[in-house]
């Protein structure tokens, strides 16, 4: 199995509903998580919201207080993209706009380590198109969660034309260890 070790940092870009949910999933699996959003204070607010949702699960005796505290404790707001440099996996969950996604991935390519996996949560934009102008498009794949990410089991591993099959397998195995039902798909409209 090629799943990311839980000692590896997962970065999530976009602290909206999907990004916060994905951050919660990764943290619940045991990863340190960096949560970034361009809106000032959005990452901190998302972490508060995650905590409130976990508090409800504690009240309903679905998880322990210790578990809830551990999950929230693993999620840290990132102050800038440059703070994501040590992440092994970066998951983008931002606006559905090709130009913005391409610009973000181009910037990430200059920030993260060479073997970091770059993933997009997009459901409507071609992974091939997002990655096409990058120096290393092979490390880009789709990691598409369904809403709400902590609840919905299905996760699509979307390979673009240039996605390295080993990257897709690592994402598949990682999603599986996160308690998800992973399926491989091609990048199609």
């Amino acid at each position: 199995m090629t799943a990311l070790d839980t000692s590896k940092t997962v970065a999530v870009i976009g602290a909206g509903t999907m990004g916060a949910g994905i951050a919660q999933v990764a943290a619940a699996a045991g990863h340190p998580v960096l949560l970034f959003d361009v809106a000032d204070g959005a990452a901190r607010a998302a972490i508060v919201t995650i905590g409130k949702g976990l508090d409800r699960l504690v009240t309903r005796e679905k998880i322990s207080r210790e578990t809830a505290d551990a999950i929230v404790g693993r999620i840290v707001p990132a102050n800038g993209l440059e703070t994501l440099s040590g992440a092994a996996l970066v998951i983008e969950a931002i606006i559905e706009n090709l130009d913005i996604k391409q610009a973000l991935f181009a910037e990430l390519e200059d920030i993260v380590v060479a073997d970091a996996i770059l993933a997009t949560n997009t459901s409507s934009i071609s992974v091939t198109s997002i990655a096409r102008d990058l120096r290393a498009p092979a490390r880009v794949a789709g990691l598409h969660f369904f809403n709400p990410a902590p609840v919905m089991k299905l996760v699509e591993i979307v390979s673009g034309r240039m996605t390295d099959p080993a990257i897709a397998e690592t994402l598949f195995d990682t999603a599986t260890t996160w308690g998800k039902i992973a399926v491989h798909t091609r990048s199609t409209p």
Side-chain angles (χ1 to χ4, degrees):
M1 180 172 277
T2 59
L4 285 180
D5 186 273
T6 56
S7 67
K8 302 288 186 182
T9 299
V10 173
V12 179
I13 300 175
T17 301
M18 285 307 298
I22 294 166
Q24 180 180 332
V25 169
H31 292 273
V33 176
L34 295 170
L35 182 58
F36 175 76
D37 197 285
V38 293
D40 192 37
R44 288 190 189 285
I47 295 167
V48 169
T49 300
I50 291 167
K52 288 178 182 176
L54 293 171
D55 287 344
R56 287 190 292 278
L57 293 177
V58 170
T59 300
R60 294 185 357 228
E61 298 181 353
K62 299 288 185 187
I63 63 172
S64 70
R65 168 55 45 207
E66 294 76 22
T67 297
D69 291 346
I71 293 168
V72 172
R74 287 188 200 103
I75 306 171
V76 176
N79 296 325
L81 285 179
E82 66 282 351
T83 63
L84 310 182
S85 63
L89 169 60
V90 180
I91 305 167
E92 166 273 312
I94 63 170
I95 188 168
E96 291 292 285
N97 178 296
L98 177 60
D99 293 336
I100 294 172
K101 288 179 187 294
Q102 286 174 325
L104 173 64
F105 279 93
E107 191 171 354
L108 287 171
E109 210 173 22
D110 291 332
I111 293 170
V112 299
V113 294
D115 62 347
I117 297 171
L118 301 176
T120 176
N121 185 60
T122 189
S123 62
S124 62
I125 298 175
S126 161
V127 171
T128 300
S129 295
I130 292 170
R132 74 175 167 228
D133 295 329
L134 298 178
R135 291 185 307 275
R139 68 176 173 165
V140 179
L143 186 61
H144 178 233
F145 289 79
F146 291 81
N147 192 21
V151 176
M152 300 299 284
K153 290 292 188 186
L154 184 64
V155 173
E156 295 174 322
I157 311 305
V158 186
S159 292
R161 273 192 241 132
M162 297 168 280
T163 301
D164 180 339
I167 296 295
E169 278 308 310
T170 295
L171 291 174
F172 183 94
D173 292 345
T174 300
T176 301
T177 62
W178 290 359
K180 299 299 182 182
I181 298 168
V183 295
H184 286 287
T185 65
R186 287 180 303 135
S187 185
T188 59

